[in-house]
Each structure stands twice: as C-alpha cells, then as structure tokens.
Amino acid sequence: MLFELVFGRVMEFLKRDFEEDSVKIEVYKDGLRLTTFEGVLELVKGGEYTVPRWLADLLAKKGYVKIKDARIPVESLSVLAYNEETAYSKPLTNKLKGFFYMTMFKARRDLTEEAKTTGDLSKFEELKKIEDAMDSLLKSRVRKLVNYSLLPDVQQDVEEKLSEEERYLLKTLRAIVALWKKKVGE
C-alpha cells in the first residue's frame, strides 16, 4: 500500500516533467502572442518554435499550432521492436530518447481519438500496428531491465540507452531487489 502511494507520487512527478518537456510547434495562425518572463513573444504564422508540451497541447487543441515531433512513424517503431526482440540475450540495442513511452502512449490516444472522429479505417490499422510494436518493445525491454536490476552496477552505455521512464523503472527495481535481499537476510 505504501509502495503504491510512493510509486503514484513519483509517477506524478514523471508526468509533470513530461508536460514540461520541450516540443517543436509550427504556427498556423497570425496574431498569436505569448507572455513570458522576458516579455511578449509574437508567434508568426509558418514559424517553428520550441515550447513546453503542456502549452503546445493547449495551442494545438485550439487549432493555432501543430506539434511537430509528436509521433514516431509506425515503421520506425516496428524496427525498434524488432531489434530488441531479435537481440533477446544481448544488451539494449536501441537508444530511446526522453519520455519515449509517455510520448508514444499520448500519440496512441490522439490517434484513437482521430480515428473515432474521422472514421478513417487506415487510422485503425495504424493504431493496431502501433499497439503491436509497443507491446513487443515493452516486453523485450522490461525483461532486460529486470535482468539489469540484478546486477551490482549498470554500464554507462546501457544507461544512455534508457528512456526517462526506464531509468525510473530500473532504479525502482534495483531498490526493490535490494530491500528484498535485506529483509530475507534478517
């Protein structure tokens, strides 16, 4: 129960960090102004800017901007999953940047909503491919993270390939294993 409470709180911090993460946007409308600590910033139609994700989402919902790097193409995601699956007993093969899983799950939610509103069958097919690739990738990488959690130290090159969510998961798994060893030995 306490673990769930702590885990939930830490996940809230991860989600907050995800929302504060910078994303690129392309402006669709003229006359858009943002007030910052430095003053008023006027966003020019057709211009590209980097803003926090929460702001990009807000502006995108209102139709002012398009988020540029919101979704990894399904083909690239499938390649990532395939590489991890085929290298079953090898170290992590792919480097996942930033908040990879949160970004992909958000993209999946957005695509689901888009598919429902448009009724476009190709969106449903793309959604199925994304879900399959994410499932394969998660299973492969989590299996490897569990193995890494049992090692005394994790190599730097492995650490560099972890997404932000995986870093947290690995630290949590290592803490659980250490606590379990301690309690079993009492």
Side-chain angles (χ1 to χ4, degrees):
M1 173 102 151
L2 180 61
F3 178 74
E4 287 179 25
L5 184 65
V6 171
F7 183 78
R9 180 60 80 187
V10 172
M11 287 306 294
E12 286 176 21
F13 288 127
L14 265 177
K15 287 178 183 173
R16 187 207 63 217
D17 289 346
F18 172 69
E19 291 296 326
E20 290 293 328
D21 198 32
S22 296
V23 295
K24 292 180 182 176
I25 59 169
E26 181 179 349
V27 180
Y28 282 161
K29 294 187 177 182
D30 274 328
L32 185 60
R33 294 181 179 171
L34 298 178
T35 304
T36 66
F37 290 117
E38 290 83 29
V40 176
L41 174 65
E42 188 162 342
L43 304 180
V44 179
K45 182 178 180 179
E48 290 187 12
Y49 301 90
T50 302
V51 298
R53 185 180 314 277
W54 66 268
L55 180 58
D57 287 339
L58 180 71
L59 295 173
K61 284 179 185 170
K62 293 185 177 198
Y64 295 129
V65 303
K66 178 184 178 202
I67 301 173
K68 299 286 285 184
D69 52 350
R71 187 183 312 164
I72 294 174
V74 70
E75 296 80 16
S76 300
L77 187 59
S78 296
V79 168
L80 289 173
Y82 177 79
N83 288 344
E84 289 298 343
E85 281 183 321
T86 56
Y88 176 78
S89 61
K90 295 181 181 171
L92 296 171
T93 56
N94 300 297
K95 181 177 182 174
L96 301 183
K97 296 179 183 176
F99 295 93
F100 175 83
Y101 295 101
M102 289 182 178
T103 300
M104 287 308 302
F105 285 120
K106 182 182 182 320
R108 187 183 73 183
R109 285 190 304 272
D110 293 346
L111 187 60
T112 301
E113 199 57 40
E114 189 178 331
K116 286 178 182 176
T117 56
T118 64
D120 184 355
L121 293 179
S122 67
K123 299 289 183 195
F124 288 108
E125 291 171 12
E126 183 180 357
L127 186 59
K128 176 68 173 134
K129 289 177 184 176
I130 288 173
E131 288 174 348
D132 290 346
M134 283 298 293
D135 188 53
S136 295
L137 187 64
L138 271 167
K139 286 178 183 175
S140 299
R141 288 184 70 99
V142 168
R143 185 180 313 111
K144 291 177 183 184
L145 288 173
V146 169
N147 289 336
Y148 289 134
S149 72
L150 301 172
L151 298 175
D153 290 314
V154 178
Q155 297 170 342
Q156 182 66 26
D157 62 325
V158 169
E159 185 88 26
E160 291 171 355
K161 293 180 179 177
L162 300 178
S163 71
E164 293 298 322
E165 302 94 340
E166 288 173 337
R167 287 181 211 282
Y168 170 70
L169 178 58
L170 182 59
K171 286 178 186 175
T172 303
L173 290 171
R174 291 176 66 95
I176 290 169
V177 169
L179 182 61
W180 180 80
K181 280 182 181 176
K182 180 180 173 184
K183 292 298 180 182
V184 167
E186 286 183 351

